[in-house]
Amino acid sequence: MTEAVPGGGSVTAVSGAPTPAGPTDADWAAAVAAVRGLQPDARVLLICHVNPDGDALGSMLGFALGLRRLGVRHLQATFPGPAGVPEPFRWLPGVELLVPQDDADPAPDLVICFDAASESRLGDLADRLGGAGTSLVLDHHASNTGFGDVNLVDPHAAATSVVALGLLDRLGVPLDAATATGLYVALTTDTGSFRFEATTPAVHEMAARLLATGIRPGDISRRVFDTRPFGAVRLFGEVLGRATLEPAAADGHGLVWTYATRDDLVHHDQPAYVLEALIDSVRCTAEADVSCVVKQSGDAEWAVSLRSKGAVDVSRVAVGLGGGGHRFAAGFTGRGPLDDVIGSIRAALPTAVLTAPPA
Ligand code: AMP
Ligand code: MN
Ligand code: MN
């Protein structure tokens, strides 16, 4: 670590909206300076987005362990909301660094945000950005607003963990199995276990580096993707049983959707996070390009997941309805009766069609 102080001139000089091409050399240099400039007793707070997924938690905890190897002692990690860590991620190395949001340092020397495209995805923790000496944003959403003092945003990165590893490399942090585990969970989550279009040669090269630390991909995949309580299996059966196919939607590309209420969760005695995997069972529908799962999150509030196989830009739909995301995986918060939420999606789909409808 050098003598520089976080928040110094070189750090704030590159603030502003990220470039579509990804971080510049100046961005990387500013991020390295922000970390290397930390004093030995500096306090660092890491935050990821609400309802954290494998990329959010894996990037954050993997990076946190890398910082610890660098000698940073006062580390906290957190995410917004009252819910605990979803069961599939409770075994992650570094999970002991997690604190409830109310215990998160209000004025850390450095705050680092993971996988969040905007401050609104940080919920009640958004105020930590203003309270921190310096804020650093690591992300891969093209829609990222550049809300940090330093923004490492690479829309071409398959996961935020690609950016996180890029920074760890520039900091000279050697990879170990603990760090690699989080980064690998993040990479497999956002590439759909190396099935999505984002699975470039660079993704496989990064996976090879991570696996070379000795981590076990079979164990990791089973814990993260292939394990759920029997109650969730029954719940999925019920929710999938009411899936609706609308072949004429999205100018004939087709929409398949279903919903789950809080009563469904109570009935099957399941926590809300189990529903995150549901979209993968819905989106396999051959007759629909667009798939949608609507999950009740309040009396008249719904967390909506949207996916496309390539004919529709669902981020356009989500952004138009107050949310965000990637071209083929996006979401938003719907308000009002379920029928209205579905109706708003149905109405927006034709505006987001990318390719000619099927003959
Ligand atoms: P999900 O369907 O929850 O897995 O989310 C898919 C993508 O959509 C994620 O990469 C998020 O960035 C984005 N997303 C989901 N919900 C929201 C929201 N309420 N606001 C902004 N972006 C969202
Ligand atoms: Mn995410
Ligand atoms: Mn991500």
Side-chain angles (χ1 to χ4, degrees):
M1 287 185 266
T2 68
E3 306 300 315
V5 177
S10 66
V11 169
T12 50
V14 293
S15 63
T19 62
T24 62
D25 288 347
D27 293 327
W28 286 115
V32 168
V35 175
R36 289 221 166 267
L38 293 168
Q39 301 295 327
D41 60 348
R43 294 169 323 203
V44 177
L45 175 66
L46 300 95
I47 309 177
C48 65
H49 66 71
V50 69
N51 298 328
D53 53 20
D55 189 22
L57 283 169
S59 297
M60 177 169 76
L61 296 179
F63 192 82
L65 294 176
L67 283 182
R68 197 153 72 178
R69 286 202 71 167
L70 211 52
V72 179
R73 279 180 284 138
H74 301 288
L75 276 170
Q76 282 185 326
T78 191
F79 55 86
V85 185
E87 180 66 33
F89 305 119
R90 276 191 205 151
W91 59 278
L92 275 178
V95 82
E96 69 281 359
L97 298 171
L98 284 167
V99 299
Q101 65 166 0
D102 291 344
D103 296 348
D105 195 334
D109 296 291
L110 176 64
V111 67
I112 313 180
C113 300
F114 294 83
D115 204 35
S118 65
E119 289 171 275
S120 64
R121 298 281 286 159
L122 301 176
D124 291 341
L125 288 164
D127 64 0
R128 302 306 196 278
L129 291 165
T134 303
S135 60
L136 172 56
V137 167
L138 273 61
D139 188 33
H140 66 132
H141 291 88
S143 60
N144 191 290
T145 58
F147 57 95
D149 295 327
V150 181
N151 300 287
L152 297 179
V153 179
D154 185 354
H156 302 291
T160 294
S161 70
V162 175
V163 182
L165 181 57
L167 184 52
L168 290 175
D169 284 343
R170 284 168 174 83
L171 288 164
V173 181
L175 261 184
D176 60 14
T179 298
T181 299
L183 302 183
Y184 185 83
V185 164
L187 196 61
T188 50
T189 296
D190 272 23
T191 59
S193 300
F194 307 105
R195 286 172 298 163
F196 300 159
E197 227 57 67
T199 311
T200 58
V203 163
H204 280 294
E205 281 160 18
M206 174 167 159
R209 278 187 69 195
L210 299 175
L211 291 173
T213 64
I215 60 173
R216 298 175 61 89
D219 281 354
I220 292 173
S221 297
R222 186 172 38 74
R223 289 180 194 214
V224 173
F225 304 114
D226 297 337
T227 305
R228 63 182 65 111
F230 184 59
V233 174
R234 300 284 297 257
L235 170 66
F236 276 33
E238 189 170 334
V239 175
L240 290 171
R242 61 167 87 112
T244 302
L245 177 65
E246 301 188 19
D251 285 352
H253 288 292
L255 165 69
V256 58
W257 63 274
T258 191
Y259 67 94
T261 65
R262 290 190 301 190
D263 281 351
D264 293 325
L265 291 171
V266 171
H267 181 67
H268 292 279
D269 193 23
Q270 293 302 306
Y273 78 78
V274 302
L275 296 172
E276 297 310 311
L278 198 57
I279 189 72
D280 290 320
S281 300
V282 179
R283 69 181 176 82
C284 60
T285 304
E287 295 87 346
D289 181 85
V290 180
S291 50
C292 171
V293 173
V294 183
K295 297 158 277 191
Q296 188 176 25
S297 53
D299 284 338
E301 191 183 272
W302 309 84
V304 181
S305 288
L306 292 166
R307 300 289 185 272
S308 162
K309 293 176 189 159
V312 176
D313 180 352
V314 287
S315 76
R316 211 182 292 169
V317 176
V319 167
L321 296 169
H326 308 284
R327 213 140 71 111
F328 303 136
F332 70 96
T333 301
R335 295 194 170 79
L338 174 67
D339 284 349
D340 292 0
V341 174
I342 297 296
S344 66
I345 297 165
R346 204 183 281 124
L349 283 173
T351 68
V353 170
L354 297 169
T355 61

